[in-house]
Amino acid sequence: MDYYSSQITKLIEELSRLPGIGAKSAQRLAFHIINMPQDQVDRLAASLVDAKANIKYCNECYTLTDEEKCPICKSEKRDHSTIMVVETTRDLAAYEKTGKYEGVYHVLHGAISPMLGIGPADIKLKELMQRLQKDVEEVIIATNSSLEGETTAMYISKLIKPTGIKVSRIASGVPVGGDLEYIDEVTLLRALQGRIEL
Ligand code: ZN
């Protein structure tokens, strides 16, 4: 395998660690990067390092942001009494793209998965429960419709029920196992509007 220089091999190896990047794509990207102008490579490298160094969790909804509070949590135009619970910041972005949701979010950063050994303490669930002590009228659970997403939805609804806060689940128009970010906006909107109270 050492028909490339070890530097190129190393670059290919690092790139192929990224999700969705197979050996072929990694090679293609590596050669593309090597042929890029120096300043473009510098900008790419700097943006990777800066993003990692400066991006943190919003201290309210736990989405990724570079400020204490993300723009959505800071906005007075949003309805802070409705919280949509999603698994990832990418899911949040998918709902934001519809432009029709006016509430705020809570990002769990994962889902409960007994198979993978991910329990309730491994996602931002305690943080969600703390937020519910403020004025919250509805929690919309928008975790994926995978086994893990459903398990998480059930767990959360059981936790919230005793508080008397309305809990709903997005409609099952979302394909099973489908990552929310790959679903078109119309389907997402329909899932949101057709949500069912738990
Ligand atoms: Zn936020």
Side-chain angles (χ1 to χ4, degrees), residues 35-106:
N35 288 316
M36 268 166 28
Q38 185 63 43
D39 65 323
Q40 206 182 333
V41 175
D42 291 344
R43 277 202 306 274
L44 175 63
S47 68
L48 288 174
V49 174
D50 289 350
K52 185 62 191 165
N54 297 318
I55 291 181
K56 50 194 168 195
Y57 293 139
C58 165
N59 63 19
E60 206 158 306
C61 73
Y62 292 86
T63 193
L64 298 171
T65 179
D66 47 16
E67 290 172 276
E68 291 295 300
K69 242 183 210 148
C70 75
I72 297 170
C73 287
K74 265 202 286 202
S75 170
E76 283 173 16
K77 289 192 187 126
R78 309 292 294 230
D79 169 13
H80 290 258
S81 69
T82 303
I83 298 178
M84 186 194 293
V85 179
V86 292
E87 291 183 24
T88 66
T89 292
R90 295 195 314 268
D91 295 337
L92 178 156
Y95 274 101
E96 276 305 282
K97 254 201 270 171
T98 69
K100 294 273 161 52
Y101 175 66
E102 285 165 0
V104 291
Y105 297 89
H106 187 86

Side-chain angles (χ1 to χ4, degrees), residues 121-191:
D122 299 314
I123 57 177
K124 303 280 176 206
L125 200 53
K126 194 176 71 228
E127 291 81 355
L128 172 65
M129 296 313 288
Q130 275 161 5
R131 287 181 74 187
L132 300 187
Q133 290 170 5
K134 289 186 201 161
D135 262 347
V136 176
E137 279 166 24
E138 182 178 1
V139 174
I140 303 167
I141 305 176
T143 51
N144 289 342
S145 50
S146 60
L147 179 62
E148 293 79 14
E150 292 298 346
T151 306
T152 309
M154 242 166 7
Y155 190 91
I156 296 176
S157 80
K158 271 192 198 144
L159 272 185
I160 298 179
K161 269 278 160 87
T163 66
I165 295 168
K166 183 177 167 189
V167 190
S168 58
R169 174 85 174 113
I170 54 165
S172 50
V174 181
V176 173
D179 265 317
L180 285 180
E181 60 172 326
Y182 296 122
I183 294 161
D184 69 84
E185 290 159 35
V186 178
T187 309
L188 270 188
L189 215 55
R190 229 179 262 149

